[in-house]
Amino acid sequence: MVTFFKNNKFPFILLGSMLLGSVIGAVWGSGATVLSPIADVFLNLLYCCVVPMIFVSLVSSIANMENLKKLGKILGVMMAIFILTEIAASVYMAVICGVFDPAKGAQIAMNEKVGELTSNNNFLSMFTVNDFSLLWSRKSLMALIVFAMISGVALVSIGEKGKPVVQFFDSLSAVIMKMVGYVMLLAPIGLGAFFATLIGQYGGEIAGPLSRSLIIYLIAAVVYYALSNTLFALIGGGVLGVKRFWRPIISPTLTALGTCSSAAAIPTELIAAKQMHISDDIANITIPMGANLHKDGACLITILKIAFMCSVFNVNFLDPHILFTAILVSVVASTVMGAIPAGGYVGEIFIISAFGFPEVSIPIMVLIGTITDAPATAINSTGDTGVAMIVARVMEGKNWLKDKIAAKAEPEAA
């Protein structure tokens, strides 16, 4: 037991700080929002590392590939898994909401005002920006990934002339990862302050009319988190994969819970992927792209919102047409949501457009999404690492993990 706590000291420190922050928020109430600047300092530093880390690591990984056909295969396998798991998550939550009405007993006055709604519904626009400077923003991660992939391919195509640049990116990647390690030293304070602010601001709603839907979601999210990640690891690496998956994934889970941002969790996910022996070329592509395109947790939230509003407006959620539309909307909406906290009204606009709900329902859906964002982000982020394990098996064979562990053990034995 002593060895276990010693080996997992940092995750326990993170968990303790988040619990302490929750208690402070519950006791202090809305006054706990004065701690938000402390949380912002940690998040801002982490965000500043995310953008260069994604660009540098992705260029380095692609540039070191000997065969670019491998890149195409990784992307194809990855996208297929992303879509399948999002559909599975949506169906899973639809079944739960069909059995347990999330809005049962809720008394909500639909008198909130809705301001001007703005959203970019052009899915393809997320892959590019119209100015080079806009690439270097966490709001343009997908466009940055596309640019990094083009840069990596260009380095491979020029052969020997590109070797010095590749070595530069390899060294720069190591430097940035070291910087991430320094920033993570502030995580206990930053995550504690974040949770104090969150609980202080929304504690009333958590214990109020939304409590039933939130409890349903929390239980469903915990079960999905455990089962889906175990299944991903089992498919990717067998029983050994499950054993190798759960210990490194604790820090990314807590980081995602504490920041409510898939982008902020990317650094810890890449560190965890190394500990799981996932190749850099697979992890550095799958995890950043997953932060933008793979959001099982967001699918769960979207289905919950739709089921909740269907109940409020007396719409039969179990109607086959409604169910099919709900699953389709959840997959599409989760894909176009930004990998940042409170990704905007995108999901809500998709919902009211598809189902004809009045605009006054948007504040309720936004509130549900805000309160459930933390567990959803944990599912989004850890699932990307699990998918990376499956991609590793497809690309490197079913014994990839055993082979890498054995290869690492040989020099140590010598």
Side-chain angles (χ1 to χ4, degrees), residues 224-234 245-246 249 378-379 382-383 386:
Y224 186 85
Y225 167 84
L227 291 181
S228 64
N229 281 318
T230 300
L231 183 61
F232 292 160
L234 185 63
F245 178 86
W246 279 108
I249 209 65
I379 292 173
T382 56

Side-chain angles (χ1 to χ4, degrees), residues 349-374:
I349 291 175
F350 269 70
I351 292 172
I352 65 173
S353 298
F355 295 93
F357 297 139
E359 290 185 356
V360 292
S361 63
I362 289 180
I364 300 300
M365 291 192 286
V366 170
L367 182 58
I368 292 174
T370 300
I371 299 174
T372 57
D373 198 18

